[in-house]
Amino acid sequence: MKIICIGRNYVDHIKELDNEKPSEPVVFLKPDSAILLKQHPFVIPEFSNDVHHEIEILIKINKVGKYIEPKFAHNYYDEIGLGIDFTARDLQTKLKENGLPWEKAKAFDGSAVIGDFLSKKDFSSLENINFELHTNNKVVQKGNTSHMIWKIDELIAHVSQYFTLKKGDIIFTGTPSGVAAVKPNDILEGYIEQTKLLRIQVK
Ligand code: ZN
């Protein structure tokens, strides 16, 4: 399986990082080795002093598809989940300054937290889903899918022009504002509406 990530999909987050609003989705990949194993803590890697949490809505692809039209994209997923795109911000900044790819800052071991999934039937509208990240019981990120620049079906249509989607692939759909560094002993908990879908300890 592969993990496809979308960057800069919420205006408030683009502003907090002082990035430009892109004219089409920013896309990058993480390998399956980036997945943080269930029940394992997230260990801050030695090469960074500034690893940020990015809470994101996830889509799990349910069948193979390429050149998917937006109006058919809803047939390619049944489940919505929650995850964290851990980002070594100091390293990413350096790579960006030099015009280099982001992978070392974005796709390292443990950088992809994949929480539990909910059936999309549980939602009356996928374009109005509230989600939150709590650090040590305090709300640090709060998002709603209505604020996505590109909606879920538009993202599937876009990325499937470049990458054949396969059953089990996961799409990370971008983070709202509030990204910040994690530190040892932090407890991160992610919610969609009232349901807790992930809990991570930082080491
Ligand atoms: Zn992200």
Side-chain angles (χ1 to χ4, degrees):
M1 60 85 72
K2 59 187 170 297
I3 300 168
I4 301 171
C5 302
I6 307 300
R8 301 182 198 170
N9 202 23
Y10 289 83
V11 172
D12 57 348
H13 173 62
I14 292 172
K15 283 189 185 145
E16 75 177 342
L17 290 189
D18 214 7
N19 282 321
E20 294 210 352
K21 190 174 160 184
S23 55
E24 58 178 49
V26 173
V27 179
F28 57 96
L29 302 179
K30 296 191 192 231
D32 58 5
S33 52
I35 297 170
L36 185 66
L37 298 175
K38 292 265 181 214
Q39 316 297 342
H40 280 234
F42 172 73
V43 180
I44 298 172
E46 286 173 19
F47 53 77
S48 178
N49 295 311
D50 194 28
V51 173
H52 282 194
H53 53 70
E54 296 190 353
I55 191 79
E56 311 200 0
I57 293 287
L58 310 186
I59 310 301
K60 192 188 283 179
I61 298 297
N62 64 7
K63 61 180 168 187
V64 70
K66 187 165 175 67
Y67 293 115
I68 300 164
E69 289 183 50
K71 65 179 177 202
F72 298 125
H74 66 273
N75 295 320
Y76 289 81
Y77 59 98
D78 301 310
E79 292 174 280
I80 304 289
L82 195 65
I84 299 175
D85 165 22
F86 277 121
T87 303
R89 194 72 69 201
D90 43 1
L91 184 52
Q92 186 196 28
T93 302
K94 214 183 297 172
L95 294 167
K96 275 162 76 177
E97 280 168 7
N98 291 302
L100 295 170
W102 294 358
E103 274 79 2
K104 289 197 277 187
K106 280 283 198 184
F108 56 88
D109 290 359
S111 63
V113 174
I114 298 173
D116 294 332
F117 284 81
L118 300 170
S119 168
K120 72 179 180 189
K121 294 195 196 98
D122 294 346
F123 303 97
S124 52
S125 167
L126 298 183
E127 295 189 5
N128 184 19
I129 300 174
N130 290 298
F131 60 103
E132 288 182 357
L133 181 69
H134 298 190
T135 300
N136 306 326
N137 296 316
K138 218 179 109 215
V139 180
V140 291
Q141 289 192 268
K142 212 173 159 59
N144 183 289
T145 53
S146 66
H147 298 138
M148 288 179 165
I149 298 173
W150 289 282
K151 307 300 181 203
I152 291 168
D153 292 351
E154 294 169 331
L155 292 174
I156 288 173
H158 181 78
V159 299
S160 72
Q161 294 176 54
Y162 300 90
F163 309 111
T164 297
L165 298 180
K166 293 186 176 177
K167 186 176 159 82
D169 287 350
I170 305 273
I171 302 178
F172 278 62
T173 59
T175 197
S177 64
V179 302
V182 295
K183 44 186 198 321
N185 302 316
D186 280 349
I187 302 287
L188 307 182
E189 293 171 301
Y191 293 80
I192 287 182
E193 303 295 348
Q194 273 21 280
T195 308
K196 193 195 290 187
L197 295 174
L198 64 85
R199 182 182 189 277
I200 298 294
Q201 185 179 9
V202 179
K203 285 200 168 164

